[in-house]
Amino acid sequence: NAGVTQTPKFRVLKTGQSMTLLCAQDMNHEYMYWYRQDPGMGLRLIHYSVGEGTTAKGEVPDGYNVSRLKKQNFLLGLESAAPSQTSVYFCASSSSVLGYTFGSGTRLTVV
Amino acid sequence: AQSVTQLDSQVPVFEEAPVELRCNYSSSVSVYLFWYVQYPNQGLQLLLKYLSGSTLVESINGFEAEFNKSQTSFHLRKPSVHISDTAEYFCAVSSTSYGKLTFGQGTILTVHP
């Protein structure tokens, strides 16, 4: 089925460890986004990309890096995880024709 | 810069009662407005959106929202709720129909029997 796929779905990290979250879309969307969801704060934009090879900072970029080497993939990296990065992470992609599609989320716990 | 304020963090209501979830926004440019719903332990689903044209927009499951430019509001309403409407609802704004979204804090709607 067409859509946005996030891997992994769950992960527990120790403080200081690194990891990469993968987002893949098969809709040929130009735009891709990473949001984090925390209770009482809604979703906040971490980083986004308006096309292959481009990235830009969102509202809460500190502690995260991203890359978009291929149009269909958008990677979110945590170089040194902190407990404050415990959250649910959502990837999304969009186009001017089809609008937004969200992934099912990654639940990350940093202990 | 854009911002969204959802005025109620939690709304409890009895089944078959009407409900209104309030959303106010601020923006210096034209806006596109969205309501998303998130059922427990699931991702976000688009409920309805205002892009242009009629200020009253409807969803397939009985929700409606009205864009009020003078009051900068986009409140969500349903005349009669069901148990299955229990979820968290997010209002969001964007300067384009496909660009980055700014979300409100969310409103948890709990429908009691």
Side-chain angles (χ1 to χ4, degrees):
Chain A
N1 291 336
V4 176
T5 303
Q6 292 183 231
T7 53
K9 296 189 183 305
F10 302 93
R11 184 73 185 268
V12 178
L13 283 180
K14 293 183 179 180
T15 297
Q17 286 185 319
S18 63
M19 78 164 294
T20 300
L21 281 66
L22 171 64
C23 177
Q25 54 98 0
D26 57 5
M27 298 168 287
N28 203 36
H29 283 176
E30 286 294 328
Y31 304 86
M32 296 189 74
Y33 311 85
W34 277 106
Y35 292 88
R36 60 176 288 172
Q37 181 183 14
D38 302 291
M41 304 187 75
L43 282 77
R44 294 178 291 168
L45 182 65
I46 305 172
H47 286 281
Y48 64 102
S49 168
V50 299
E52 181 179 319
T54 73
T55 63
K57 293 180 179 179
E59 181 184 354
V60 287
D62 293 343
Y64 305 95
N65 56 76
V66 288
S67 65
R68 188 145 179 227
L69 299 180
K70 295 182 179 180
K71 186 177 184 179
Q72 64 267 36
N73 295 335
F74 196 30
L75 279 63
L76 177 70
L78 286 72
E79 292 185 347
S80 179
S84 61
Q85 295 177 304
T86 292
S87 187
V88 181
Y89 293 85
F90 286 99
C91 177
S93 68
S94 71
S95 73
S96 58
V97 175
L98 296 175
Y100 254 75
T101 301
F102 278 89
S104 57
T106 296
R107 188 173 295 273
L108 175 66
T109 302
V110 183
V111 298
Chain B
Q2 298 174 323
S3 68
V4 177
T5 301
Q6 292 183 241
L7 298 164
D8 305 292
S9 59
Q10 297 191 49
V11 174
V13 65
F14 287 107
E15 194 173 17
E16 298 184 4
V19 71
E20 178 180 77
L21 307 183
R22 297 179 292 169
C23 172
N24 286 99
Y25 69 91
S26 68
S27 177
S28 57
V29 299
S30 297
V31 296
Y32 298 83
L33 294 156
F34 307 82
W35 275 101
Y36 284 87
V37 58
Q38 184 179 37
Y39 297 103
N41 298 313
Q42 294 189 24
L44 276 78
Q45 300 176 28
L46 179 65
L47 190 60
L48 46 77
K49 60 185 176 183
Y50 170 78
L51 302 181
S52 65
S54 173
T55 57
L56 183 65
V57 291
E58 299 176 351
S59 72
I60 59 173
N61 56 354
F63 283 94
E64 65 178 29
E66 186 162 17
F67 170 53
N68 188 319
K69 188 174 182 180
S70 63
Q71 297 187 4
T72 61
S73 67
F74 191 55
H75 300 333
L76 182 69
R77 303 183 181 94
K78 190 171 185 180
S80 177
V81 294
H82 302 286
I83 297 288
S84 59
D85 292 323
T86 293
E88 188 162 17
Y89 293 79
F90 294 96
C91 182
V93 64
S94 177
S95 57
T96 67
S97 63
Y98 53 90
K100 50 184 178 174
L101 293 166
T102 299
F103 285 87
Q105 301 90 331
T107 297
I108 297 173
L109 173 65
T110 304
V111 182
H112 298 285

